[in-house]
Amino acid sequence: MLPCQRYLFDIPSNVVYLNCAYMSPLMKPVLEAGSQGLARKAHPWELTPEEFFAGSDVFRATSAQLLDCSSDCVAIVPSASYGLATAAHNLPVRKGQFILVLDEQFPSNYYPWQRLAAEHCAALKVVQRPENDDWTAAVLHDLSEDVAIAALPHVQWTSGGLLDLVRIGEECRKVGAALALDLTQSLGAIPFSVRAVQPDFAVAANYKWLMGPYTTGLLYVAHKWQGGIPLEENWIQRANARNFSSLILYTPEYENGARRFDMGERSNFALLPAANRAMQQILEWSVAEISETCGVLTRQLATAAAELGFSSPPEELRAPHYLCLRRKSGIPLELTNLLAQEKMFVSVRGSSVRVTPHVYNSSDDVERLIRCLRRIFAAWLAT
Ligand SMILES: Cc1ncc(COP(=O)(O)O)c(C=O)c1O
């Protein structure tokens, strides 16, 4: 378990922030890298053409380490939705086939498939929430030969349920389905390997578990699809982009690998240095250590919360960093506000409380949350 890393963050001592699945706080060195990057625009004469490529190269290389793939397979995108739209733009589906999604899947990984299915007289097949919390078994049950694409996450975002993507990847290859992944709620927090899972496309927004700024994201594109059609045709994707004086010698050639899928203005001088610094810190901590550290905290909380009538998926079926506590007999409507008044921050969805710690949290934070929940529930049950 990593020692608490709170000193790297600007979190006041009275704040208990347990909501990384909503948005991670920026680390001080990340803020510094971003501020320095933004300030560079005050002196544009100092920005050289090479710098349009250098930050992007670092971004690709660092992302590739987190994904376990070659940096040529990484495109720079602004959001998960952009990456998933790119996947939907390139993956084929025929009339009568299905696109597999999970019950309550995040909208950015639902709408593009809904539209693609409608455009091709195909249909969505929704894997229903399993009573026993075993999402992997439920997906494997529904993965049949008429499924053209499985569009899935690593962690189901409303339950914290963990999917065994290696097993699902194998089954996709067996039935001939493409695999498109949204890793926004998992990459950086639990180990993942492109080599082991072999997806066709995989995207993650950076602002949660990759601890970067908003409007940055990475997209993995398998070799097979690297000759595909990007959402945009911009100058920097093209083979002649490095020579600024010959940009209007239009060329049909793209830069190699997944670079053709890069968004316009991908060389963002403010955001990329910040995203790069954050991902480098994650690699320094190691994803396995982050996962282990968060797992200790969520285990402590799940055990204590059971006394208040909360249940959660069994440990082997949920992601260690992502605890969704459900309470059949309900929770106070104003729970989020009551907790916020005490400077405690979690997400509340319906009758479930989502608690998502990171390495800036400690078991003291968990104990404070539990004490506060006990007080709130005692007062609520007494009314
Ligand atoms: C599972 C999941 N995917 C993606 C996103 C963000 O999507 P986008 O980058 O399209 O805004 C979120 C945000 O909460 C999410 O929970």
Side-chain angles (χ1 to χ4, degrees):
M1 187 181 174
L2 286 164
C4 183
Q5 303 290 309
R6 196 174 177 115
Y7 69 97
L8 285 172
F9 297 81
D10 181 24
I11 305 174
S13 58
N14 61 343
V15 167
V16 174
Y17 189 71
L18 288 158
N19 208 2
C20 194
Y22 166 66
M23 187 177 284
S24 68
L26 280 186
M27 273 172 266
K28 291 176 202 167
V30 173
L31 188 59
E32 181 61 27
S35 306
Q36 281 174 8
L38 185 62
R40 302 211 59 201
K41 181 76 167 42
H43 297 163
W45 53 90
E46 289 170 5
L47 277 172
T48 62
E50 292 76 56
E51 288 178 81
F52 282 76
F53 300 89
S56 308
D57 289 345
V58 175
F59 183 90
R60 255 183 267 279
T62 320
S63 305
Q65 274 182 270
L66 285 160
L67 288 161
D68 187 24
C69 66
S70 140
S71 36
D72 278 348
C73 297
V74 179
I76 304 172
V77 295
S79 60
S81 26
Y82 189 104
L84 291 159
T86 303
H89 204 54
N90 283 278
L91 291 174
V93 58
R94 290 193 315 273
K95 185 175 174 182
Q97 287 188 308
F98 292 98
I99 301 173
L100 197 73
V101 295
L102 301 186
D103 198 14
E104 298 183 354
Q105 188 145 294
F106 192 78
S108 298
N109 198 16
Y110 178 89
Y111 292 130
W113 308 114
Q114 186 186 43
R115 184 169 79 189
L116 185 69
E119 282 168 356
H120 292 84
C121 300
L124 292 184
K125 189 174 187 182
V126 181
V127 179
Q128 291 309 305
R129 189 181 181 134
E131 292 279 317
N132 64 358
D133 296 306
D134 190 345
W135 281 103
T136 304
V139 167
L140 293 175
H141 177 267
D142 286 357
L143 248 181
S144 43
E145 281 177 1
D146 49 9
V147 172
I149 303 163
L152 300 170
H154 200 167
V155 174
Q156 201 277 350
W157 79 299
T158 58
S159 66
L162 185 65
L163 278 75
D164 179 345
L165 291 181
V166 175
R167 182 70 196 85
I168 289 169
E170 273 166 16
E171 196 61 22
C172 281
R173 291 191 292 285
K174 209 191 283 171
V175 300
L179 180 59
L181 297 174
D182 174 13
L183 304 177
T184 301
Q185 290 292 10
S186 55
L187 194 68
I190 47 171
F192 172 81
S193 164
V194 153
R195 270 172 244 273
V197 175
Q198 301 179 42
D200 293 85
F201 290 85
V203 70
N206 277 61
Y207 69 97
K208 297 176 191 281
W209 303 95
L210 294 171
M211 306 196 106
Y214 204 61
T215 328
T216 55
L218 53 92
L219 172 67
Y220 163 80
V221 183
H223 284 114
K224 180 176 175 187
W225 303 106
Q226 288 177 8
I229 302 173
L231 291 185
E232 314 169 16
E233 300 296 345
N234 65 56
W235 65 274
I236 208 164
Q237 304 159 327
R238 297 288 168 143
N240 63 352
R242 284 172 197 259
N243 186 352
F244 282 20
S245 61
S246 68
L247 293 179
I248 41 87
L249 299 178
Y250 304 123
T251 172
E253 303 296 327
Y254 289 94
E255 269 245 61
N256 61 340
R259 291 170 181 81
R260 69 173 58 201
F261 299 105
D262 283 352
M263 63 179 175
E265 298 195 11
R266 63 114 205 264
S267 329
N268 194 313
F269 303 105
L271 300 185
L272 282 195
N276 290 341
R277 183 66 188 81
M279 289 193 287
Q280 281 156 358
Q281 181 62 63
I282 287 169
L283 288 168
E284 212 173 288
W285 284 324
S286 115
V287 174
E289 290 278 345
I290 293 170
S291 177
E292 172 68 22
T293 305
C294 295
V296 170
L297 300 176
T298 54
R299 193 175 307 132
Q300 178 191 351
L301 181 61
T303 310
E307 289 164 27
L308 291 170
F310 283 104
S311 64
S312 52
E315 215 174 299
E316 64 284 5
L317 295 177
R318 71 168 174 82
H321 62 295
Y322 206 108
L323 182 66
C324 290
L325 295 165
R326 285 182 129 189
R327 196 163 182 281
K328 277 212 181 98
S329 40
I331 58 175
L333 265 182
E334 68 285 17
L335 184 61
T336 323
N337 290 341
L338 293 170
L339 288 171
Q341 278 164 19
E342 309 261 353
K343 298 273 181 242
M344 260 166 246
F345 300 92
V346 298
S347 281
V348 174
R349 303 271 182 274
S351 62
S352 99
V353 181
R354 183 183 71 182
V355 186
T356 49
H358 211 285
V359 297
Y360 41 77
N361 293 117
S362 63
S363 57
D364 285 352
D365 288 343
V366 173
E367 270 166 33
R368 270 190 62 191
L369 176 64
I370 283 292
R371 277 201 302 274
C372 192
L373 284 174
R374 278 199 196 112
R375 250 192 342 265
I376 291 172
F377 275 86
W380 185 59
L381 293 170
T383 57

